[in-house]
Amino acid sequence: MNSVGCETTKFICQARARFPHEQIGGLGQSNISHNKHKREFYNEASTSKNTGWYKEHMLTHAHIMEAADQLAANKPIVLENGPVFAVVCNANDPQVQAKIKKAKDPHGLNTRGAHQPVGWTVPFAHALDTVDMSLITDERMRRLLADPSELTGRIGALAFLRAIADKRVKHKRNIPDSIIPDEAGAMVQIYTPTGNDSTHKIVRRSMALGVEPVMTSANVSHEKEIIDGERAIQFAHDAGGLAVYLQGRDTADTAVRGSYPILGVREDSFTLERAGCFGADIIARLLFDVPFQPFTAHGELPQPAKYPEYVLHLNDLPDAYSSYKGNDLWFGILATQGWHDELVDMAQEIPDVAPHFARPVERSDRFSRINLAATSAASE
C-alpha cells in the first residue's frame, strides 16, 4: 500500500477509534488531484491538505450485502452517494419518517416537517408510473417519461425528478405515504442510482429483500449538506450511531460535490427546482430534445447550489465532449466522476430484481469501459 493508501486507512482507523459503536464500511486508496481552473479536491476535514479520505475502490461485496441487510431490518444508514452523503431508509418501515426526523432534527427544534417527502431511490422502471401523465401536454416529454431506459440514459444518478403523483397508482400499489403523501397535489420525487455502481448495487440487493429505498441528505435540517467523511461519521454518531458506508470515487479535475439538481415536471417543460452539482447548462444538453426551463415552476430562480465551487459546467469537461448531448453526454459525465471505474460484475452474487431495472440503450462504444448494462445482462 502506498503512502496515500496508508493515510486513508489511518483516517478510517482513527474514525473507528473515535466512534467505536459506529459501523464504518469501505476502504481503499485516495487519489487527490487539483482542478486546473478553480478547485482543489481535498476538504477541510481531511487528515491532511495533501491526502483526503476519498478512495478509488467501490464498496466491497460484503459492505453492499451488509448495507442492504441493515435497510431490510429497518435500520437507516448513512451512505456516500457520489458527491454527497445521504440517509437511506426503508419506506416500508412505518417509523421511517420519525427516524429521519430524529436524524435530521436531533435537538427537537422542529426544523423538519413530520411528512416531508423523501427521494424514492429506485430504477425509473419501478416508479415512473406514479407520475400523473394526464397533466403533461408536451408530446416530447410524454415520450421521454414513458421510456424508463431513455430517461435513465439522460439523468440516471445525475438528478432527482419531481412530479405531481398519480394518486390512483399510489393506492393501487399501496405506496407508502413517506414516498407519496396522501394529500391533494402530492408530489413524488425519484432518484435512480443507475450510473453510480455502489448505490445501484445496494438498491438492487435491498429491493430483492423487500425494501423500498428512500433517501434524504445527511445533514441537520437547514444546514449545508455533508460532503466529507469526518462530518458524515459525526452526523451518524449524533443521529444515534447509524452505520456509515464510504463509497469510492475518483477525485478528478471534473469531480463534483454537493446535492443533486432537482428537475420539476410541468405540463409543457422540465424545470430546475433546485440547482445542484451539475449546472443548468449540462442539464439542458442532457435534455436537448425536450423543453427545459432553468427556473422553477413558479418562474423563479432555483434554490442555488450550496457548494458552487464544485458545480460541474460544460466548460469544465474535456474539449472532446463539446458536441456530446443526451445519452452520449451522460456516459461522458459518468466517465469524469469515478463512480464506476472499478465496476465489478457481482450479478451472480447479488440477487437481482431484473424486471425493475431498465437497461440504458447502448448508443456507441465510445465509453465501452462503462458498460452499465453488463451487470444486468449477466444475470439473465
Side-chain angles (χ1 to χ4, degrees), residues 130-281:
T130 64
V131 174
D132 192 342
M133 296 288 284
S134 69
L135 303 176
I136 300 171
T137 59
D138 186 272
E139 187 58 33
R140 294 163 294 181
M141 291 182 61
R142 292 177 65 88
R143 286 198 299 268
L144 182 58
L145 290 168
D147 188 340
S149 179
E150 180 66 23
L151 189 60
T152 299
R154 302 290 189 95
I155 63 169
L158 303 185
F160 283 78
L161 188 74
R162 179 186 292 170
I164 294 177
D166 188 330
K167 297 293 288 296
R168 296 167 301 177
V169 175
K170 168 187 164 59
H171 294 300
K172 181 179 179 180
R173 291 181 52 186
N174 197 28
I175 293 172
D177 289 352
S178 56
I179 295 175
I180 302 175
D182 194 12
E183 57 189 37
M187 310 289 282
V188 60
Q189 188 163 282
I190 309 165
Y191 170 84
T192 183
T194 304
N196 182 329
D197 293 338
S198 292
T199 303
H200 176 86
K201 291 181 178 107
I202 290 172
V203 166
R204 284 176 57 191
R205 172 59 179 167
S206 64
M207 289 181 70
L209 297 176
V211 172
E212 284 289 355
V214 292
M215 70 166 59
T216 184
S217 58
N219 59 284
V220 175
S221 295
H222 303 313
E223 293 184 3
K224 291 176 73 170
E225 62 266 30
I226 294 174
I227 62 172
D228 67 76
E230 183 145 348
R231 284 185 61 212
I233 293 169
Q234 181 68 60
F235 171 85
H237 173 76
D238 294 344
L242 305 183
V244 183
Y245 294 91
L246 305 179
Q247 291 185 13
R249 71 182 179 95
D250 186 5
T251 49
D253 286 349
T254 48
V256 298
R257 288 185 187 171
S259 291
Y260 293 94
I262 297 177
L263 305 184
V265 178
R266 285 180 47 180
E267 66 275 5
D268 57 357
S269 71
F270 288 98
T271 60
L272 186 60
E273 298 301 312
R274 183 182 73 190
C277 55
F278 298 103
D281 53 347

